[in-house]
Structure formats: structure tokens, C-alpha cells
Amino acid sequence: MSDQTRARTPRLRAALAVAAVTGLGATALTALPAAAAGEAVTVQYRQSATGSDQVEPWLKVVNTGTTGVPLSQVKVRYYFKADAGASYTYACSWAVKGCANVTGTFGTLAHPTATADRYLEVGFTAGAGTLAPGADTGDLQLRFHRSNWQPLNQSDDYSFGPAQTAYANWAKVTATVGGVPVWGTAPAGNDPTPTPTPTDPTTPPPNGAALFDDFNYTGHTDPAIGNHGWSVRSNSGGPGVPGATWAPENVTFAKEGTNSIMNLRSSTAGTGESTRHTEVLTKATKFKNGTYAARVRFSDAPVSGPDGDRVVQTFFTINDLKAPMADDYAEYDFEYLPNGGWGEPANILYTTSWETYRPDPWEAVNQHSEVRASYSGWHDLVLTIDDDSIVYYVDGQEFGRHDARYLPERPMSINFNQWLIDLAGQTSTTPRSYDQKVDYVLHVKDQVLTPAQVAAKVAAYRSAGTAFADTVPAP
């Protein structure tokens, strides 16, 4: 457990220094079926960089229809040819609608061509509002680069227009509204199919091996915690503030309504010696493919004292790094930063799938998804891993979809922790503390459940009065 945790320290400080988003899916555009009556958009493009350090597609979405278009229903794709073995990092430099309301997701084409095998899909949160007829979004000044900042080649990218130095309609960038293609031509062989109305099943599949815990314990010394396979961390080491203590006494349990809640409280008075981090993790590394789920309450503000610390609140799975760049390493994270950090100025939620990394000199192979917004409050977090992809859901909605190259080779542990990146965000010596709460955790081995099926399975455990069950075999 300590080796796994120490491995996070150097890469977490560096890996997310730039906002990053990745994902996967394939809905390409050639023929254009009708969208909802009156809904139509075009995409304007200009390039802002022809060099080899990063790609800078600047975009505008224009409503050319007769009715308002909710921007949360709009997806825009920029197609490119990936460099061999490269992973990519996305960022929004500036946007009229606000970078917090613009998302970026990388995906892989079903039918690669000589000029395209990947795409950047740009979307919008509800905060971007509705685009009135005749209006445009204004500048979306976007960029992406190789995650290790190695040189890249734009000249063979399908959507790249080196002569496009001013905004103009650009058919090599595509758009959908509500999943229906409305603009542009995709690379050859990637014909569009409108997104069908979701019909996700809600009934859980037949019973299989599973772990469920309602966290119904009396305290961190309750023998049942260890008997149920959990460890409450007390050893020293990273990640986070040097000299901090991992405090098992700060992990508490209490009833909220009818449910038992686990609370992880982290605190500081502005020094390493006064800083208390918290972590709870499974002692066994026996979890691999299947469904992982937890209901977690993130917090934007401290319970007491001044705000501003660079706190990280998490739910993740991980195994140990056997050697730098070892290809059997795996980690899959939900990480919420209520006060920013790693180069971010404000709240942001990341999901990250790790293939491997080297701490010194730093090199990482991973994919990210991120949204810059407040996630304060309770959220249903679901992660599914099968033989094809890794998919993250937040509150029933897909948040990120990552490539098969990041699938795990070895089993992992399940972890929750809350810690401070550093003490630079808030320099006060006034004591303050932050809470992260967990309602339950669920893992279903080798079965991909929808978020609705997760909710049904949890409800079934609770209806049966089952506070804990673990039938997942040892690896």
C-alpha cells in the first residue's frame, strides 16, 4: 500500500499541470440527416499555430437555424493523425463562453485514414447557455499537445488548414446537435449514424462476484474494518505535503438519515507537521475488469477555518509500479480539486486512465477527462472496464471514455483519500479542515453495469439488509 501511494507523488505534481481531457467514441459525419426542426449550425475555424509544439484549432459555432440551440447538445470534432505512441493533452486558453463551460475529449476513429485516426471532440456544459438564431459562440481558443511535450506533426492532419488565418466556414470540422450530424464531412469511411435514444437496462445482470460495503462501522478501530479487507492508512509518505501525517483517527463513521456514511477529514494549520491526510483502501489487490461505483460527497469549502487549500478528493483503483515505464502498471482515478492546483486556478474534476509513467525524468502515458466546474455535493461515480475501453460516469452521464491501450494487465486495490497538494494555495496558520464523505462502494467483477443497474444493485443490497458482502476471489 505504501509503495502504491508513494508512486503517486511525483507524477501527480507534474501530470496534471495542464488541464487535460481525453475520451473515446466514434460518430463521424458525411451525409447529414435532419436535426430537430429549425436546428442548424456551422463551424468556423482558423489555425493559430503551424509549429511543432502544439495544435491550436480556434473555433466558432454559428447558429444558422431558426430556433435556439442549447450548446450542451452541440459536439464539434477536429480530426488529426496521431504521432506513433503518443497520448495527448487538451487545454482551453480562452473562450467567450468561458473555458469552464467548454470540454474537450480525445477519441479514436473506427476507420483510420492516412490523415486521421484520432479526433478532439469539443462540447459545452449547461453553463454555456443557448445559442440564439444568427448568433455565434465567439472565440474558442483551444489547443492540444503531446502529453510529454515531444514534437508533433500537423501537416498530415485532416482538419488542419495552414492557410486558414482568419475565421471561415470549415467543412473538415464536423458538428452534431443532440447526436444528429448537422455540419461537415468526416474522414472517408467514417460515415455518420445519428445517436440512438438511450435504452440502458435498469435491471442488474445475474449475480456474480461482487464487493459491496455500506460503511456501517463504529470507528476507525472497529475490527470489522480489517475483517472486511480494508486498511485505514497510518504510515508516512506521499502524496501531498511533505511531513504530513496520515491520520486514521480522522476517518469516522456516522448515520445520515438511514445510511451510514464514512467521512475522511483532512486538516492543516499551514505547516507540514500540522497537516493531516486521510486514506482508506483495500488490503487486497484483486480487482480488475468490471464495474466500480461509489457515492461520494465532495466539498468546496472547509468545515472550519479559511478556504483556499489545494485539496484533492478521490475515488480510484491502482496497483504498484514495478519499474519506471513498466507496462503492467494501472490506475483509474476520479480526482476533484475544489480549489484548483497543478496549474489550475479553480475547481476541476479529473478522470485519468494510466498505462504507465517514469518519475525521473518525468514521462507519462495516460488519458484524461476533465470539467472545470464545482462538484460540491453528493455524486454517483461509476467506472467500467471491459476488454475494449474504460468509461467514467458522473451522476448517470458519461464523463470520459478512454482507449483500450490503457486497460489493466494486473489486479488493483480500491482506494479513497483526501490530501493537500502543497501549502501554497493558503498560507494562513489558522487551523482548517475539509471533509470528503462516502456513502457506499460497489465492485462487480467482469460485468459492465449501467449507472441505473448500479443504483438498482445497491438498492437490492440495502433492501435485503446487507451492509457488507465480498465474493470477489483472491487473484
Side-chain angles (χ1 to χ4, degrees):
M1 176 267 282
S2 60
D3 288 343
Q4 294 174 17
T5 309
R6 278 196 293 269
R8 296 171 60 81
T9 308
R11 63 192 178 73
L12 283 170
R13 288 175 180 165
L16 300 175
V18 178
V21 192
T22 54
L24 148 68
T27 305
L29 318 178
T30 302
L32 302 180
E39 289 186 345
V41 302
T42 62
V43 181
Q44 296 183 352
Y45 158 81
R46 59 158 293 195
Q47 61 83 8
S48 180
T50 59
S52 62
D53 57 347
Q54 61 184 346
V55 180
E56 294 189 43
W58 290 14
L59 305 171
K60 286 183 183 180
V61 178
V62 183
N63 183 354
T64 55
T66 58
T67 63
V69 176
L71 282 170
S72 61
Q73 297 296 310
V74 175
K75 300 289 187 184
V76 176
R77 287 186 177 178
Y78 179 96
Y79 301 89
F80 63 98
K81 181 73 171 179
D83 297 281
S87 62
Y88 291 88
T89 295
Y90 155 88
C92 172
S93 297
W94 187 78
V96 172
K97 292 293 183 180
C99 281
N101 294 317
V102 182
T103 64
T105 304
F106 292 109
T108 302
L109 285 179
H111 303 287
T113 71
T115 59
D117 55 10
R118 300 288 296 277
Y119 59 81
L120 170 68
E121 181 172 272
V122 179
F124 302 87
T125 70
T130 297
L131 199 59
D136 65 65
T137 58
D139 282 343
L140 304 173
Q141 296 183 10
L142 312 179
R143 57 190 172 91
F144 63 91
H145 57 84
R146 293 184 61 166
S147 298
N148 58 7
W149 282 102
Q150 292 297 305
L152 51 75
N153 178 24
Q154 294 193 68
S155 65
D156 59 353
D157 292 349
Y158 177 85
S159 295
F160 179 54
Q164 288 292 115
T165 57
Y167 278 113
N169 289 353
W170 192 244
K172 289 189 173 183
V173 175
T174 59
T176 60
V177 176
V180 178
V182 296
W183 172 259
T185 302
N190 293 275
D191 294 334
T193 53
T195 303
T197 301
T199 56
D200 288 344
T202 57
T203 303
N207 288 336
L211 164 70
F212 172 73
D213 202 332
D214 223 358
F215 295 115
N216 191 8
Y217 302 109
T218 59
H220 75 279
T221 59
D222 189 334
I225 294 177
N227 293 339
H228 289 170
W230 294 102
S231 174
V232 183
R233 184 178 176 184
S234 60
N235 62 297
S236 62
V241 175
T245 299
W246 293 84
E249 66 275 12
N250 284 8
V251 177
T252 59
F253 303 86
K255 287 285 187 180
E256 290 192 6
T258 59
N259 296 338
S260 179
I261 303 298
M262 177 171 68
N263 189 67
L264 285 72
R265 175 163 294 182
S266 297
S267 59
T268 189
T271 65
E273 294 73 19
S274 68
T275 302
R276 301 290 184 268
H277 296 156
T278 45
E279 180 167 26
V280 176
L281 69 159
T282 61
K283 292 184 284 187
T285 54
K286 63 177 183 177
F287 309 98
K288 194 181 175 191
N289 285 17
T291 300
Y292 300 80
R295 183 165 174 81
V296 178
R297 187 182 188 279
F298 297 128
S299 301
D300 278 355
V303 178
S304 60
D307 197 2
D309 289 290
R310 294 167 178 170
V311 181
V312 184
Q313 301 172 346
T314 76
F315 166 45
F316 64 100
T317 69
I318 191 173
N319 60 32
D320 56 330
L321 183 72
K322 298 291 189 183
M325 301 303 287
D327 62 6
D328 62 350
Y329 177 74
E331 180 180 350
Y332 308 95
D333 302 329
F334 289 92
E335 291 177 311
Y336 180 57
L337 282 60
N339 292 316
W342 298 322
E344 285 295 321
N347 38 33
I348 186 168
L349 177 63
Y350 291 103
T351 61
T352 309
S353 299
W354 288 87
E355 170 61 18
T356 190
Y357 72 98
R358 176 173 55 213
D360 188 21
W362 175 254
E363 184 176 358
V365 181
N366 56 42
Q367 281 190 299
H368 311 273
S369 302
E370 55 90 28
V371 170
R372 294 176 179 86
S374 172
Y375 279 84
S376 181
W378 284 103
H379 296 283
D380 295 306
L381 310 179
V382 176
L383 160 68
T384 65
I385 303 174
D386 59 17
D387 292 332
D388 297 313
S389 61
I390 305 107
V391 186
Y392 298 85
Y393 299 88
V394 177
D395 297 329
Q397 300 298 310
E398 186 173 315
F399 187 94
R401 182 180 291 262
H402 299 171
D403 295 355
R405 67 180 295 198
Y406 302 96
L407 293 172
E409 290 85 7
R410 290 190 290 121
M412 302 167 289
S413 62
I414 296 174
N415 303 245
F416 300 91
N417 66 17
Q418 182 180 222
W419 49 281
L420 279 66
I421 298 172
D422 53 36
L423 297 172
Q426 171 57 265
T427 58
S428 170
T429 57
T430 301
R432 58 270 189 187
S433 59
Y434 296 83
D435 282 357
Q436 174 188 341
K437 297 182 178 181
V438 184
D439 184 9
Y440 69 83
V441 67
L442 172 71
H443 170 71
V444 181
K445 177 179 169 59
D446 296 332
Q447 294 182 1
V448 171
L449 274 62
T450 67
Q453 287 177 313
V454 167
K457 195 165 185 70
V458 171
Y461 278 119
R462 288 176 164 170
S463 295
T466 303
F468 174 82
D470 185 4
T471 59
V472 179

